[in-house]
Amino acid sequence: MILVTGGLGSIGSHTARALLDLGESVVLTAHRTTTLPEHLAGEPDGRVVVEPLDTTDEASFLDIGKRHEITGIVHLAAIAGRLLEIMLAPRVAALHRLTIAELPHHPELQRMWRDETDRPGIDTMLADYLRECTRDGRLDVPDPRLAARQLVMLTVTEGRVATLQGTQPLPAADRERIARETAELIVRAYRP
């Protein structure tokens, strides 16, 4: 079984769906809710297990490992939702719009903007995860760093477009749709 932390969230649940489609069984964890999303319902008994978990509670984490035969871990707890929250926060969105408006007047901003992609962050974490998926045969990602950057950029760009560059709130249904579509796209593109 594959343990998916944040497995009931947007990207986590759609990653779980992709794992189920590949024939894996999953243990999904969530901190607050244990309600199974519709797109995961209807699986035969034992293929989808839901466990409440605070990922900071090491004993609870280890207890899940004792109760289930865990063969891999996907640690996605709130990544997509948090990414969209950060990038679409009013102050960050306003800074983004201002920076774009000022780029033609400040060549040093252009250099900083380009160099920003080389700093460690969510791209690095996702690239490491995609490398792991390639090593164990779940996916076949020839360039994990590129794929991770594309996933982040696609997710953020979709969010920015849906919110008129952060000037409007992003409804939960749109956040769910964006996370689902980007996760499914990456899984389909790199399925072995």
Side-chain angles (χ1 to χ4, degrees):
M1 296 187 100
I2 307 294
L3 174 65
V4 183
T5 63
L8 296 179
S10 298
I11 285 196
S13 67
H14 292 288
T15 299
R17 175 76 266 158
L19 289 167
L20 289 163
D21 292 345
L22 291 170
E24 297 285 349
S25 295
V26 294
V27 175
L28 309 177
T29 70
H31 184 64
R32 291 181 184 92
T33 182
T34 56
T35 304
L36 198 62
E38 268 185 49
H39 59 274
L40 297 177
E43 289 293 324
D45 284 343
R47 291 212 57 222
V48 178
V49 176
V50 177
E51 294 274 0
L53 176 70
D54 176 350
T55 56
T56 64
D57 183 350
E58 184 180 346
S60 295
F61 231 124
L62 294 172
D63 189 49
I64 289 173
K66 290 175 186 172
R67 290 195 314 271
H68 305 283
E69 188 176 329
I70 305 297
T71 58
I73 298 175
V74 177
H75 189 45
L76 291 173
I79 287 177
R82 187 72 181 125
L83 175 63
L84 288 170
E85 281 176 31
I86 291 168
M87 298 308 292
L88 299 177
R91 291 180 70 172
V92 174
L95 179 61
H96 176 76
R97 292 188 304 272
L98 177 63
T99 304
I100 288 173
E102 290 299 319
L103 281 176
H105 308 292
H106 301 281
E108 70 278 8
L109 277 177
Q110 294 175 21
R111 282 190 299 280
M112 288 171 57
W113 189 280
R114 281 190 302 272
D115 294 344
E116 178 83 12
T117 60
D118 291 333
R119 290 186 4 201
I122 196 163
D123 295 21
T124 303
M125 293 184 311
L126 284 170
D128 290 344
Y129 171 68
L130 292 170
R131 272 188 209 90
E132 179 184 320
C133 289
T134 296
R135 273 194 303 274
D136 66 21
R138 287 178 281 163
L139 295 174
D140 183 14
V141 184
D143 188 344
R145 188 171 174 199
L146 175 64
R149 189 179 76 222
Q150 290 171 335
L151 175 60
V152 169
M153 293 304 291
L154 180 60
T155 302
V156 170
T157 300
E158 286 285 320
R160 284 183 176 146
V161 169
T163 63
L164 302 175
Q165 297 298 320
T167 62
Q168 304 294 314
L170 183 64
D174 287 343
R175 181 177 291 140
E176 185 75 24
R177 177 189 54 77
I178 290 167
R180 180 185 69 247
E181 290 172 355
T182 56
E184 288 174 354
L185 180 66
I186 290 296
V187 170
R188 280 195 314 268
Y190 295 111
R191 184 175 281 159

